[in-house]
Amino acid sequence: MSNSTKYIFVTGGVASSLGKGIIAASLAKLLQARGYSTTIQKLDPYINIDPGTLNPYEHGECYVTDDGAETDLDLGHYERFLNVTTSQANNVTTGRIYQSVINKERRGEYLGKTVQVIPHITNEIKANIQSLGKNGDYDIIITEIGGTVGDIESLPYVEALRQMRWEFADDCIVIHLTLVPFLQAAGELKTKPTQHAVKQLLELGVQPDILCCRTEHELDLDLRKKIARFCNVVPEAVIEAMDAPTIYDVPLMMQEEELDEVVLKQLNLSRKSKPNLDSWHSFLNNLKNPTSEVTIGIVGKYVELKDSYKSISEAFIHGGTANLCKVNIEWIHSEKLTKANTAEFLGKLDGVLVAPGFGSRGITGKINAVHYARENNLPFLGICLGMQCAVIEFARNVIGWEDAHTAEISPDSKRPVISLMEEQKNISDMGGTMRLGQYKCELKANSKIYDAYNTEVINERHRHRFEFNSDYLEEFEKNGLKATGINPVTGLVEVVEADNHPWFVGVQFHPEYKSTVDNPHPLFKSFVKAVMDNKK
């Protein structure tokens, strides 16, 4: 392995949810803006092989990469910030590590040795961390270790990091993210939790090089010196990470704190080039100075946890900003929507998006939402199950097939307008057995979808088992629901849109996964534009 690759580890102390992913993505953005090729990976300490089988209430959305990996939502932040694709190698779980080690043991690769956490599990972790640097594709690899230091489950990761500190002495640093809470009663910031968090890391043999301190109030120089003194770091390596108005402000705040300068200095890398963040600045400027405003409803069954639809809400920020439009999101629980109250929920909206999902819970509400949008000329975008609901609604209420349904929920339906692909019918495993990752789609001219992309062939990411049932295609088209996007290899329908409607589009793929700050997704841009035009 070439020694040129540098490794930066990001760990968290005191509490979870401090924003390690955003700090890692912001640092990567600053290093990338200076011309260093950078990637980020996330190590998740849970025992699931991947988050694909996790309920979104547990960890938020499952983010899908081009190569079909079901990964942690932090990879979404990495792609949105860096505009660089990630892959399976960018997300590792304890389950994947143990599975690999156990498979090697069964194949006899350990030559009769006792297989243990050290060295076998830690070696496997180190191999996974270094795999991204093998081909010399990256100057810098940032590795975020999930969870909080001191958790039993993340101990092997911290041990692997301790070993790498020795093996790559000058090419490896550790950033520890901690909390400096403000005590209202005493009227002061407290550094003790940070001291304890660093002490806990030291007990595991790791001295952090840089401390990022999450705080609601400014850290003055005295406080920084105090933290530096107790935690064995130089004062310039105590970085203030204040609460930000938006996550997109964080790279600029970290630049002001000179996080990138400190990192490059500690890694002995040149600091000559200044970061070029022109496009980032102009994005933020547009984000904060919209000239118009719309309200779009997101209808889903996991709306209590907004992170379940993280990529969708971020894609609306990108698509809105590209139109100089502020998109207000109204979260609507699909289980609450009945035929009787749909107008009450959707009547005030300028547009509606029916979200992806699995299973029967809340599907009736989604179908009711589609019905309202179609009948009341409300701009509509359906994604994955949202597109399938559009197909079911159209079959029932326009064609008149009252028993039309998806085979996912009603396997005995006489009119399964959404059904399984043949090769899916005998699969019993839930994990990783769907149509996953990037597939081609050919768009038909003179359609809303073609106008959005302005190109004939697109590549989009999928995550589903069930498909539009092409046996019924002719009937749909005859009645005014057109298939305007087709997979050229399988002939499967990927996009449907309704005639005689300002903007009614359903897509089987997930456009939200590919929207970034530098490249807002064309479909979200078009949808927001249609909502604005329709509102006028």
Side-chain angles (χ1 to χ4, degrees), residues 267-287:
L267 288 171
N268 299 317
L269 289 170
S270 162
R271 287 169 287 162
K272 278 206 282 289
S273 63
K274 286 286 166 259
N276 175 7
L277 290 164
D278 295 349
S279 66
W280 197 269
H281 278 286
S282 81
F283 168 79
L284 257 183
N285 187 41
N286 291 345
L287 173 64

Side-chain angles (χ1 to χ4, degrees), residues 286-311:
N286 291 345
L287 173 64
K288 293 185 174 182
N289 299 291
T291 54
S292 60
E293 199 169 317
V294 297
T295 302
I296 295 176
I298 294 183
V299 179
K301 63 175 174 179
Y302 302 115
V303 293
E304 302 93 330
L305 184 71
K306 312 280 185 281
D307 273 3
S308 307
Y309 306 107
K310 193 68 190 157
S311 292

Side-chain angles (χ1 to χ4, degrees), residues 394 399 444 472-484 499:
F394 198 91
I399 303 177
K444 297 199 169 146
Y472 299 106
L473 181 56
E474 204 176 308
E475 279 295 323
F476 276 105
E477 298 224 298
K478 210 162 68 190
N479 283 280
L481 190 72
K482 302 278 193 288
T484 54
D499 292 344

